[in-house]
Amino acid sequence: MSDDVIWHCIRHNHCSFMAKIETGIFCRNPYNATGICNRSSCPLANSRYATIRDHDGVFYLYMKTAERAHLPKKLWERVKLPRNYEKAMEIINKHLEFWPKLLVHKIKQRLTKMTQYRIRMRRLQLKVREKIMTVPRKKTQRDLRRLDKAEKAAQLDKSIESELKERLRKGVYGEIYNFPFKQFDTILDMEKDDLAPEIEEEEEGEIEYVEGDDIEMGDMDDMEDFEGFGDEDDILLDKMVTQYSSANCQSNLHKNIK
């Protein structure tokens, strides 16, 4: 199919790469050298065409000829261009020596633009800039809900605390002592030591002096009275004691029987 027929179909019927806007008609085809939709720049309506493409920072020169039109797999021939701008220009002049001058000029303009934006990209990467990150809408809403719940819980805690303080002031709970644990334990140990009986250990072999038992003066007189008794008196005294003891025993037996 001739190029004119292809262009007529694309221009007047339908083209999936065409983009019509207020400023003009543009082309989204990645092989377009200028990005404008016209007869000379259309890669579909020109059997002999060339352009430059970027693959991860590496530039390639793509060339299409009519002799390979029947081989879609090998339709485009590409040549890797060096990073040096002058050497890349030399390679373009070498491969496009007998091509139309207007197309070669467009390709050189495209190479110049692409080299400039690659330099700008390097400069921007070296600069330290703030990274703009998007936040999901659901996450922000969830965070806001959690914040509202936390505020309500904080207000509830404050109201409970104020109510407890008011009750303490009124004396509802009586006397409450909040001692630190360590000091409280030490106080308990001190109280136990005070309540424990003091046991004095006596050393063996130590001589001590102790006061005698208190004896009343009446007892001492009785003892003096007993000193004057003779042997007969002792016998009579023994009989009286035995009689008295036997009488006490009989009375105790009668009590137990009853």
Side-chain angles (χ1 to χ4, degrees):
M1 189 181 292
S2 65
D3 296 343
D4 294 332
V5 174
I6 293 172
W7 172 249
H8 186 271
C9 295
I10 288 172
R11 189 65 175 178
H12 298 287
N13 292 332
H14 175 71
C15 179
S16 59
F17 299 106
M18 187 185 297
K20 291 182 179 181
I21 58 176
E22 295 178 356
T23 55
I25 301 173
F26 296 94
C27 181
R28 296 194 187 96
N29 196 315
Y31 291 95
N32 196 315
T34 59
I36 300 171
C37 183
N38 54 22
R39 177 71 176 81
S40 60
S41 299
C42 184
L44 301 176
N46 291 284
S47 59
R48 192 181 188 188
Y49 196 77
T51 186
I52 294 175
R53 294 192 64 187
D54 182 9
H55 293 281
D56 298 329
V58 180
F59 296 155
Y60 289 90
L61 174 64
Y62 281 78
M63 295 172 287
K64 181 178 76 169
T65 57
E67 289 79 13
R68 293 193 301 272
H70 65 287
L71 300 171
K73 187 179 179 181
K74 299 179 181 179
L75 182 62
W76 292 92
E77 178 187 0
R78 74 174 190 178
V79 179
K80 185 178 179 180
L81 298 176
R83 301 184 72 86
N84 191 351
Y85 178 74
E86 295 179 357
K87 292 182 178 179
M89 283 289 191
E90 292 177 0
I91 291 173
I92 290 172
N93 292 327
K94 179 181 177 182
H95 285 85
L96 303 179
E97 185 177 359
F98 302 105
W99 286 57
K101 300 297 181 183
L102 180 61
L103 182 60
V104 175
H105 179 67
K106 289 179 180 179
I107 291 169
K108 288 181 180 180
Q109 281 183 337
R110 183 174 175 84
L111 177 64
T112 306
K113 274 187 182 178
M114 294 175 71
T115 306
Q116 288 174 355
Y117 80 65
R118 183 167 62 182
I119 293 168
R120 286 197 299 271
M121 286 173 62
R122 288 178 186 172
R123 288 177 181 173
L124 292 173
Q125 287 177 358
L126 293 173
K127 288 182 180 179
V128 178
R129 297 192 304 168
E130 294 181 357
K131 188 176 180 181
I132 299 171
M133 297 180 66
T134 59
V135 180
R137 185 168 57 88
K138 290 184 179 179
K139 185 178 179 181
T140 54
Q141 292 178 354
R142 185 168 60 248
D143 293 340
L144 290 173
R145 286 196 298 269
R146 288 178 180 174
L147 184 61
D148 294 337
K149 289 180 181 179
E151 288 179 355
K152 291 178 181 177
Q155 291 176 1
L156 181 63
D157 292 341
K158 288 180 181 178
S159 62
I160 292 170
E161 185 179 357
S162 62
E163 183 66 24
L164 289 174
K165 287 180 179 178
E166 187 65 27
R167 289 185 182 183
L168 284 172
R169 289 194 197 95
K170 292 179 180 179
V172 176
Y173 302 114
E175 295 181 356
I176 297 174
Y177 300 98
N178 292 326
F179 294 108
F181 288 105
K182 291 183 180 179
Q183 297 180 5
F184 185 70
D185 294 336
T186 53
I187 291 167
L188 286 177
D189 295 336
M190 291 170 64
E191 290 180 355
K192 288 179 182 178
D193 295 338
D194 294 338
L195 294 172
E198 295 181 358
I199 300 171
E200 296 181 356
E201 296 181 357
E202 297 180 357
E203 295 182 1
E204 296 181 357
E206 185 176 331
I207 300 171
E208 293 184 357
Y209 298 94
V210 184
E211 293 182 1
D213 296 333
D214 294 335
I215 300 173
E216 295 181 358
M217 295 301 293
D219 296 337
M220 293 296 290
D221 294 338
D222 294 337
M223 293 295 290
E224 289 177 357
D225 294 337
F226 281 111
E227 288 177 0
F229 294 151
D231 294 335
E232 293 178 358
D233 296 332
D234 293 336
I235 293 167
L236 291 172
L237 183 62
D238 292 336
K239 288 180 179 180
M240 291 172 67
V241 169
T242 52
Q243 289 176 2
Y244 180 75
S245 62
S246 63
N248 287 330
C249 289
Q250 288 176 4
S251 62
N252 291 326
L253 284 170
H254 285 298
K255 287 179 182 180
N256 292 328
I257 289 167
K258 290 178 180 180

